[in-house]
């Protein structure tokens, strides 16, 4: 897209992929949607179906050209997470429950203080783990081979 890298990167992100957010500034102000992608190097997010821009794509091998509508990134300061109880935009805080788990909660003037759950999409991996061993993987026979026995003193290095 040609965006510059952000001058001051956000260290602790409170907005996650899959969150339901409302756009608070820009041409789509007041509309809500799910976060499709988080671009941390630019402090930007892409909201599903919002901030559409026209992109001219030249025809090439395997695809046709034309003018397409794509989602452009929004700065993270222009979106706010929706409170799950009231449905209004709110800030996010962190607190620990009695059992010791760390949770996000809605905070601010119009916030209910309800717990904002982590999106389910974060549990899915973007790149699936390989199921077959690769050329650099250690064979399972060598992994399970016992090379040290502390009672017999076998495999002990000479110090």
């Amino acid at each position: 897209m040609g965006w510059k890298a952000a001058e001051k990167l956000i260290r602790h992100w409170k907005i996650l992929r899959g969150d339901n957010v409302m756009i608070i500034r820009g041409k789509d102000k007041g509309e809500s949607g799910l976060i499709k992608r988080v671009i941390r190097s630019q402090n930007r997010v892409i909201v599903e179906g919002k901030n559409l821009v026209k992109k001219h794509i030249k025809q090439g091998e395997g695809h046709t050209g034309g003018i397409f509508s794509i989602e452009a990134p929004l700065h993270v300061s222009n979106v706010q997470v929706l409170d799950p109880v009231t449905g209004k935009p709110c800030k996010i805080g962190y607190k620990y429950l009695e059992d010791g788990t760390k949770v996000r909660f809605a905070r601010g003037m119009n916030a209910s203080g309800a717990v904002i759950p982590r999106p389910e999409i974060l549990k899915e991996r973007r790149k699936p783990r390989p199921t077959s061993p690769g050329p650099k993987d250690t064979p399972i026979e060598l992994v399970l081979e016992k090379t040290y026995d502390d009672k017999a003193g076998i495999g002990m290095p000479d110090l």
Side-chain angles (χ1 to χ4, degrees), residues 6-20:
E7 291 180 13
K8 190 172 183 182
L9 293 176
I10 297 172
R11 277 196 180 145
H12 306 291
W13 280 75
K14 296 182 179 181
I15 295 178
L16 303 172
R17 179 172 51 103
D19 274 338
N20 195 11

Side-chain angles (χ1 to χ4, degrees), residues 67-78:
I67 302 171
F68 299 100
S69 291
I70 64 162
E71 298 143 343
L74 287 162
H75 196 270
V76 74
S77 64
N78 295 337

Side-chain angles (χ1 to χ4, degrees), residues 143-159:
V143 172
L144 297 176
E145 182 183 342
K146 189 171 182 181
T147 58
Y148 174 71
D149 187 9
D150 59 339
K151 292 182 181 174
I154 301 171
M156 194 83 165
D158 295 327
L159 299 176

